[in-house]
Amino acid sequence: MNTQPLKIALILGSAWLLASTVAFAQGTASSPSTVHEVDPSTNTVWIGGPNDLINGPAPYPIDLDASGGPWRKQIYSGPIAGSGGGILFRETILNAGTEPWTDWHEINVNLGSQVGIWGTSSVTDLRINGTSIGFTTSVTGTMILDVDSFSQPVLPGDVLEIDKQFALTTALFSPPNTLLYTLLEFPTSTIPEPTTLVLLAVCGVALSGTRRR
């Protein structure tokens, strides 16, 4: 019985699974849950950094972990009602892990008193250590925002800044100090870890040996 085709299929399947695990890795190491308030004077939510009076003043640390959960963020109205229509997000995030990031994903869970929607032009700027980079965005059903294809990766120790706008379907934040909505966020990476590269290389060597035999 010729088992070579089966061996080749198994090796290729293993390599594909390894690559897929890397490409679709998502989650964070600590699955943090944070609370944020809308500044009614500017309709801005500061997330990490010196203007975040709850979680700042340092960039908020996130560690990519494929086996972890997302970063859960609850957005509340401020102590007084503010005008609606659109909320600006200013996020300052530290890559506190050991893997680079190449994408960012956000899901609007809609657990609060208002419904918010993403638009394809929601993200206005993306910066690494203060320098703007290129990216693409896509929206699934106005609920899921994907920011992909960073022109350069967010390396460990880098600070990622995201500027984006979230549209609201209601006019006012009423009453004050009320949960508006909840967002789930996480980075992903399409760059294999060193151990994954080694395993892929082993698969390649095994495949080469199988072909020679």
Side-chain angles (χ1 to χ4, degrees):
M1 178 180 178
N2 183 9
T3 61
Q4 184 173 357
L6 177 60
K7 290 180 179 178
I8 293 175
L10 289 173
I11 292 170
L12 290 176
S14 299
W16 180 86
L17 286 173
L18 287 170
S20 298
T21 300
V22 173
F24 296 101
Q26 62 186 33
T28 66
S30 59
S31 305
S33 180
T34 54
V35 172
H36 309 271
E37 284 189 356
V38 178
D39 179 351
S41 64
T42 60
N43 272 7
T44 301
V45 179
W46 300 96
I47 299 173
N51 294 302
D52 185 344
L53 302 181
I54 300 175
N55 307 282
Y60 194 83
I62 289 294
D63 182 356
L64 169 62
D65 187 340
S67 61
W71 176 11
R72 181 185 181 91
K73 299 191 299 189
Q74 293 183 312
I75 312 301
Y76 281 80
S77 59
I80 60 175
S83 60
I87 293 179
L88 301 176
F89 282 81
R90 298 291 184 263
E91 302 198 54
T92 305
I93 306 161
L94 171 69
N95 182 348
T98 60
E99 301 173 78
W101 305 342
T102 56
D103 317 281
W104 189 265
H105 307 275
E106 311 199 12
I107 304 172
N108 171 26
V109 183
N110 281 337
L111 295 182
S113 61
Q114 298 186 354
V115 176
I117 59 173
W118 294 116
T120 54
S121 59
S122 291
V123 180
T124 58
D125 195 19
L126 212 64
R127 297 180 297 279
I128 297 178
N129 301 326
T131 300
S132 296
I133 65 169
F135 59 92
T136 62
T137 60
S138 61
V139 175
T140 303
T142 73
M143 301 288 289
I144 301 174
L145 172 65
D146 295 323
V147 189
D148 300 312
S149 305
F150 293 178
S151 60
Q152 69 182 73
V154 183
L155 300 176
D158 283 349
V159 173
L160 174 66
E161 295 177 88
I162 308 174
D163 295 348
K164 58 184 182 288
Q165 184 165 357
F166 196 63
L168 297 178
T169 60
T170 51
L172 294 175
F173 310 145
S174 181
N177 302 314
T178 300
L179 177 64
L180 301 177
Y181 42 84
T182 300
L183 300 177
L184 305 181
E185 305 188 7
F186 53 86
T188 58
S189 178
T190 56
I191 300 176
E193 293 183 274
T195 52
T196 303
L197 289 173
V198 170
L199 289 173
L200 288 172
V202 169
C203 287
V205 171
L207 180 59
S208 176
T210 301
R211 284 175 174 169
R212 283 198 299 270
R213 287 192 296 272

